Amino acid sequence: MTATKEKPAAPATEAAEELTDGFHLIIDALKLNGLTTIYGVPGIPITDFGRMAQASGIRVLSFRHEQNAGYAAAIAGFLTKKPGVCLTVSAPGFLNGLTALAHATTNCFPMILISGSSEREIVDLQQGDYEEMDQLAIAKPLCKAAYRILHAADIGIGIARAIRSAVSGRPGGVYLDLPAKLFGQVMNAEKGRKSLVKVIDPAPAQIPAADAVKRALDVLKSAKRPLIILGKGASYAQADDVIRSFVEKSGVPFLPMSMAKGLLPDTHPQCAGAARSTVLKDSDVVMMIGARLNWLLSHGKGKTWGDAPKKFIQIDIEPKEMDSNVEIAAPVVGDIGSCVQVMLGQMGSSWPAPPADWTGAVTAKREENVTKMAPRLMNNNVPMDYHGALGVLRTIIKERPETILVNEGANTLDLARGVIDIYKPRKRLDVGTWGVMGIGMGQAIAAAVETGNKVLAVEGDSAFGFSGMEVETICRYKLPVCVVIFNNNGIYRGTDVNKNGADPATTVFVAGARYDKMMEAFGGIGVNATSPDELKRAVSEALDSGKPTLVNAVIDPSAGSESGRIGNLNPQSALQKKK
Ligand code: ADP
Ligand code: TZD
Ligand code: MG
């Protein structure tokens, strides 16, 4: 079957019954629900499906590895509030995509992984079919919901269930299993059309209870040292104006989690990003909006949070999130847009500003830290250190606030998160809840595809390696992506030496590698940048031209620290002293 092939012809004996089949019904169901972009890798049994989808006007982006296509779909879900779709072949392709599906679920991004599968009769008897695997059973524990469609007549319902499962309540990943036989199944076209479902109100508003709102406002009002923490759920909610109005009306200092940076600009007078340790330690009431008290916030307790007793207010769509780590004094369950809107409405016209000694102390701390950092960001050292290189990128983003920043690595991640200010919502994408390496190229591609904006991907050399082959994809689709590799010759540092044998140490790579040449191999622009000035010129040109570019930024191999900012999470051997 080819892309240009018409719908199945009616047998000559039956007078012109119009027919359709699985291929067309899946495509029609996706389009009916506005799912018009697919990220995937072709092969049996979905090659023709990809061609037909492309012929039907769906944008089908072919990747070099399913994991990267999956990360693209996951972040597309975050950026658009519609499930990102990843399409894979059976067993190995499915498994490659599964990491991204689990990642989407963990991060609360809506995504649908659609995988072709082998024949059930053979799989279930384990008779050794081509790429045999019980994919549905394997996917189930790793996602929000998993479905298999066996009959063409169920395609409409199956896809509707997948969409609703992905986006309603707490968003997450959904697996959809499509056995090879389904695609060719034929049915009456009119019946087929009628079987399709346009999902009405897939993520219904969830209005918070009035007493919960009152309780939350009472706690907030009682605070002497209040703090608002914005998480990526708040970015996802696309309630930007109402969140900004609420924060500004409250007068409370706010701390953005990494993917909530830019929801209000990092340069906003209430932003406490540069006074993070102080506000976490000294605050007495903390209001979480779309952020979880997981490891990224030290579970809401311990040294990070200081000794002073704290009360938490939490807005989240997932009721079970409340009290997950510490007691939540004022849980507000609902969607962020509705919750913040209702709270804003109830604040009245004379909401009291937080005590000036608190807001003043936060501002003073922030300014002290910003001033301390400034000269480091202007250094012109060669080889570059992280701060010298990031100082340049910080200015470039300031001048181009629409640019989407993708960021992964260890030192490259932790330092860039602190240094590069973000000015607009959903303009910073990164490793998320797992701190996973490998999201870089998938996220960069989807960010460019979904928004049309320019993308700057700031990558550790190790981090980049997980998805580096997708630079070919970037060149093939001519996407406006500039990849900057912070090349310090290794993981955390490039200086480790193995004293006990001929093999290199476990954390180092080929010294002086030229990643820029990878880009040139596919017709993109490659630049080797050894100084902040060279870096500035190369990245500015790339973002202004929109041409696929990779800048190999040579970083001092000894500049980084083990595990960036989270070295404390490494277990230590009692028997072996660390260097
Ligand atoms: P961060 O890593 O930025 O702290 P998390 O991923 O830990 O953020 O938390 C995001 C939270 O936002 C999740 O608990 C999720 O249930 C919640 N969430 C996602 N979308 C919405 C929404 N539209 N309304 C309310 N809560 C949401
Ligand atoms: N594998 C996966 C999928 N995710 C991970 N987080 C890791 C391995 C472990 N890991 C980190 O947590 S950071 C990192 C690895 C391998 C790479 C750090 O090196 P880098 O950044 O070159 O990307 P810096 O600038 O050298 O620190
Ligand atoms: Mg490195």
Side-chain angles (χ1 to χ4, degrees), residues 388-398 420 456 458 484 486 535 539:
L390 286 169
V392 163
L393 299 181
R394 173 185 209 256
T395 307
I396 286 175
I397 292 290
K398 185 177 182 183
I420 302 180
L456 174 63
V458 178
V484 175
F486 276 38
L535 179 62
V539 177

Side-chain angles (χ1 to χ4, degrees), residues 222-495:
S222 74
K224 300 262 180 312
R225 297 180 304 281
L227 171 68
I228 292 172
I229 298 182
L230 300 169
K232 58 177 157 342
S235 302
Y236 172 78
Q238 295 193 18
D240 309 336
D241 292 345
V242 66
I243 290 173
R244 186 172 182 146
S245 301
F246 175 80
V247 171
E248 288 181 343
K249 183 159 192 175
S250 74
V252 173
F254 71 91
L255 184 67
M257 300 300 287
S258 68
M259 282 175 61
K261 276 164 70 83
L263 204 43
L264 284 83
D266 282 333
T267 47
H268 191 282
Q270 284 167 256
C271 183
R276 187 176 194 274
S277 331
T278 301
V279 290
L280 290 181
K281 213 167 340 98
D282 295 346
S283 53
D284 65 345
V285 167
V286 180
M287 175 169 183
M288 323 274 302
I289 307 181
R292 286 172 285 188
L293 284 171
N294 56 17
W295 70 279
L296 286 157
L297 285 167
S298 309
H299 305 281
K301 53 200 170 195
K303 261 207 329 260
T304 309
W305 290 88
D307 302 325
K310 277 188 216 298
K311 281 188 178 169
F312 288 94
I313 304 166
Q314 185 163 23
I315 299 184
D316 206 288
I317 201 153
E318 174 57 65
K320 291 199 299 287
E321 188 56 39
M322 308 301 165
D323 308 326
S324 58
N325 285 271
V326 296
E327 179 189 275
I328 302 299
V332 182
V333 175
D335 73 279
I336 286 166
S338 302
C339 293
V340 176
Q341 182 76 62
V342 174
M343 289 185 73
L344 182 63
Q346 311 263 309
M347 285 166 95
S349 51
S350 57
W351 185 263
D357 57 346
W358 168 241
T359 49
V362 175
T363 304
K365 188 73 205 171
R366 187 187 72 204
E367 275 163 14
E368 181 193 325
N369 286 343
V370 168
T371 311
K372 231 188 280 168
M373 175 84 89
R376 301 182 67 188
L377 299 176
M378 284 159 55
N379 89 63
N380 244 323
N381 295 345
V382 174
M384 291 185 276
D385 60 25
Y386 285 91
H387 288 89
L390 286 169
V392 163
L393 299 181
R394 173 185 209 256
T395 307
I396 286 175
I397 292 290
K398 185 177 182 183
E399 290 164 352
R400 297 167 187 78
E402 294 296 334
T403 309
I404 297 183
L405 178 72
V406 169
N407 190 198
E408 61 177 332
N411 294 278
T412 305
L413 175 87
D414 291 341
L415 296 169
R417 184 177 54 231
V419 168
I420 302 180
D421 287 330
I422 305 290
Y423 301 86
K424 308 234 167 164
R426 296 170 294 283
K427 296 290 180 280
R428 185 191 151 86
L429 311 173
D430 65 27
V431 298
T433 304
W434 269 343
V436 64
M437 298 298 112
I439 46 73
M441 296 306 99
Q443 287 191 347
I445 290 167
V449 165
E450 299 290 340
T451 69
N453 292 14
K454 309 269 174 65
V455 178
L456 174 63
V458 178
E459 303 270 315
D461 52 338
S462 165
F464 172 74
F466 288 74
S467 69
M469 193 62 210
E470 303 297 347
V471 295
E472 188 276 331
T473 312
I474 292 170
C475 290
R476 185 164 19 106
Y477 290 98
K478 303 185 173 59
L479 297 172
V481 174
C482 174
V483 183
V484 175
I485 297 185
F486 276 38
N487 187 0
N488 64 348
N489 295 349
I491 298 174
Y492 313 137
R493 299 161 71 88
T495 50

